Amino acid sequence: EYRFRHADGSWIWLESVGSNRQHTELDGYVVNSRDVTERKRLERRYEQFVEYSSDFVAVLDDEGVVRYVSQAVERICGYAPDDVVGEDAFSYVHPDDVNEAVREVERGIDEPGYTATVDHRFRHADGSWIWLESRGRSLPDPGPLEGRIVINSRDISERKRRERELSRQNERLDRFTSVVSHDLRNPLTVLEGNLEMARETGDPEYFDRCSRALDRMERLIDDLLAVAREGESVTEPESVELVRVAERAWETVETAEADLSVDADDRLEADPGRLRELLENLFRNAVEHGGDSVSVTVGTGDDCFYVADDGPGIADDVADEVFEFGYSSSRDGTGFGLAIVAEIADAHGWDVAVAESDSGGARIEVRDVEFV
């Protein structure tokens, strides 16, 4: 196949087939040629379609070895096609997802016409994991690629992120429903009962009880709004200095005679305002449970920072409950302080846990933190 100059000066594509011996009568080689310009145009169109598609196309043999992959794999996954061809396709799939992927591909081989569809994590060239949606079918027999599987894959990482965010929002909504129906109803019932008695008797004590019930409802509502706000994922973190945020958070909390020491000069990627609110809630919790003269320490570990105190600590049998909505060991507490801490941590991709401080008090650790 080659280009041949037309009489009008343009180039057309010819496909030529020639004999390998001279014809005895014509004293020359016989060459048959046909115009394949239109076929070449279509082939180029399909090549561009594959190359610039939002998907990348791969062809696997029945052993799962990549025999072909389109150029789009470099844009989506960071690999040059030559780096992938000849490799086991499943070696790039996340260990937790590989069994399902293999099972679907094997079914596609065993059941002609079956379209295998798998959402799975795939190792990017930079070492991270991206989510792919892969659809595969076995190619028909007979054919030039018989016995092979053709797979179209697209990046669905953003879709998966939205799904996780929606799931988290639904979980928060369920928790809010529970809190509103239980925790908020309690002070409302107290208010209604004491207001009726206050009207009947005029006793100031009943009005005081109404006032305290209203105060508790206000705190609950404020905390509910805080949880709704802090649960949103952090998408644009900044490099912040932990000691400065901790000192500012301490200034805004009623700490009585308590004292703070910060043993950390690290910087981390975070939303400064929400990190400050996380620390404010931890300081408030330490003072509330450790007493007016409690000593509070902020420090860092290998992949965590913590707030520790020298108070009575947290019992092992409730350590898993303290981050739940509505849990509080204090009669006046709303049970939202540490729940807000957990929400803010989760929004950053961090985890929280309870440990014991060096002095036997409580130590709340925020883990999986990447320091700058």
Side-chain angles (χ1 to χ4, degrees):
E1 295 178 357
Y2 56 94
R3 280 163 290 187
F4 190 89
R5 190 174 60 250
H6 193 275
D8 64 9
S10 64
W11 294 97
I12 62 172
W13 277 93
L14 294 183
E15 177 189 76
S16 297
V17 179
S19 66
N20 61 355
R21 18 178 218 182
Q22 290 181 323
H23 194 283
T24 55
E25 296 180 2
L26 299 178
D27 194 26
Y29 297 100
V30 176
V31 179
N32 294 295
S33 299
R34 68 178 64 187
D35 184 351
V36 293
T37 304
E38 179 62 16
R39 191 186 77 194
K40 281 292 185 179
R41 186 185 67 80
L42 291 174
E43 287 177 356
R44 180 55 184 158
R45 176 182 294 179
Y46 290 133
E47 287 174 0
Q48 289 181 327
F49 173 77
V50 171
E51 182 177 351
Y52 296 107
S53 171
S54 59
D55 301 1
F56 70 87
V57 180
V59 177
L60 313 183
D61 62 20
D62 56 7
E63 298 295 326
V65 176
V66 180
R67 295 306 179 187
Y68 166 81
V69 66
S70 64
Q71 188 67 39
V73 71
E74 186 166 10
R75 173 172 49 80
I76 296 172
C77 302
Y79 300 101
D82 290 344
D83 296 336
V84 180
V85 172
E87 297 290 324
D88 178 3
F90 300 107
S91 66
Y92 295 89
V93 179
H94 193 281
D96 292 343
D97 304 331
V98 69
N99 288 339
E100 182 186 2
V102 171
R103 186 165 56 249
E104 283 294 291
V105 169
E106 288 178 344
R107 183 178 176 185
I109 294 174
D110 295 337
E111 300 180 24
Y114 174 73
T115 299
T117 303
V118 184
D119 291 354
H120 60 91
R121 284 159 289 185
F122 192 89
R123 188 175 67 250
H124 193 277
D126 63 10
S128 64
W129 294 99
I130 62 174
W131 277 96
L132 296 182
E133 178 189 75
S134 296
R135 295 176 178 269
R137 294 190 67 178
S138 58
L139 296 172
D141 297 335
L145 293 175
E146 64 182 69
R148 303 288 175 90
I149 301 289
V150 61
I151 298 178
N152 290 67
S153 299
R154 65 180 59 188
D155 186 352
I156 58 169
S157 301
E158 178 61 21
R159 190 186 82 191
K160 285 291 184 179
R161 185 196 66 78
R162 292 196 302 268
E163 289 175 354
R164 289 194 300 271
E165 182 66 22
L166 180 60
S167 176
R168 291 175 61 244
Q169 290 174 355
N170 288 337
E171 290 175 3
R172 289 201 303 274
L173 180 59
D174 290 341
R175 292 195 292 263
F176 292 164
T177 302
S178 175
V179 170
V180 170
S181 64
H182 181 268
D183 295 63
L184 200 56
R185 188 179 297 277
N186 288 341
L188 183 60
T189 301
V190 172
L191 175 63
E192 290 174 341
N194 284 279
L195 184 59
E196 183 177 350
M197 292 300 297
R199 287 171 176 167
E200 292 178 0
T201 66
D203 188 340
E205 174 60 25
Y206 291 116
F207 286 107
D208 290 340
R209 292 178 184 176
C210 290
S211 179
R212 289 194 295 271
L214 286 170
D215 288 342
R216 178 166 178 76
M217 290 173 65
E218 183 177 7
R219 291 197 303 272
L220 283 168
I221 291 170
D222 287 343
D223 284 348
L224 276 169
L225 292 174
V227 172
R229 182 177 65 252
E230 302 309 337
E232 299 296 328
S233 296
V234 174
T235 56
E236 297 182 359
E238 303 175 18
S239 175
V240 296
E241 193 174 356
L242 183 58
V243 62
R244 291 175 62 85
V245 178
E247 290 172 348
R248 290 174 180 171
W250 186 259
E251 294 172 356
T252 58
V253 175
E254 295 183 10
T255 55
E257 301 300 321
D259 64 85
L260 172 72
S261 64
V262 182
D263 183 20
D265 57 0
D266 305 83
R267 300 183 71 89
L268 64 152
E269 293 286 332
D271 181 304
R274 295 163 81 174
L275 175 60
R276 177 172 172 174
E277 185 159 358
L278 179 148
L279 290 169
E280 287 173 352
N281 278 280
L282 289 178
F283 294 157
R284 198 174 292 116
N285 183 75
V287 174
E288 179 181 335
H289 296 282
D292 291 347
S293 59
V294 69
S295 293
V296 180
T297 302
V298 177
T300 58
D302 290 339
D303 65 345
C304 77
F305 66 87
Y306 61 84
V307 173
D309 63 56
D310 60 356
I314 298 174
D316 292 339
D317 59 344
V318 298
D320 294 333
E321 302 176 22
V322 296
F323 298 107
E324 295 179 2
F325 286 90
Y327 176 84
S328 178
S329 60
S330 171
R331 181 178 179 181
D332 296 327
T334 64
F336 280 90
L338 292 182
I340 292 174
V341 169
E343 285 290 314
I344 298 174
D346 187 52
H348 283 82
W350 304 333
D351 196 10
V352 289
V354 173
E356 183 178 310
S357 70
D358 294 338
S359 60
R363 170 169 157 149
I364 307 298
E365 296 182 350
V366 181
R367 299 173 177 174
D368 299 328
V369 176
E370 293 186 11
F371 293 103
V372 180

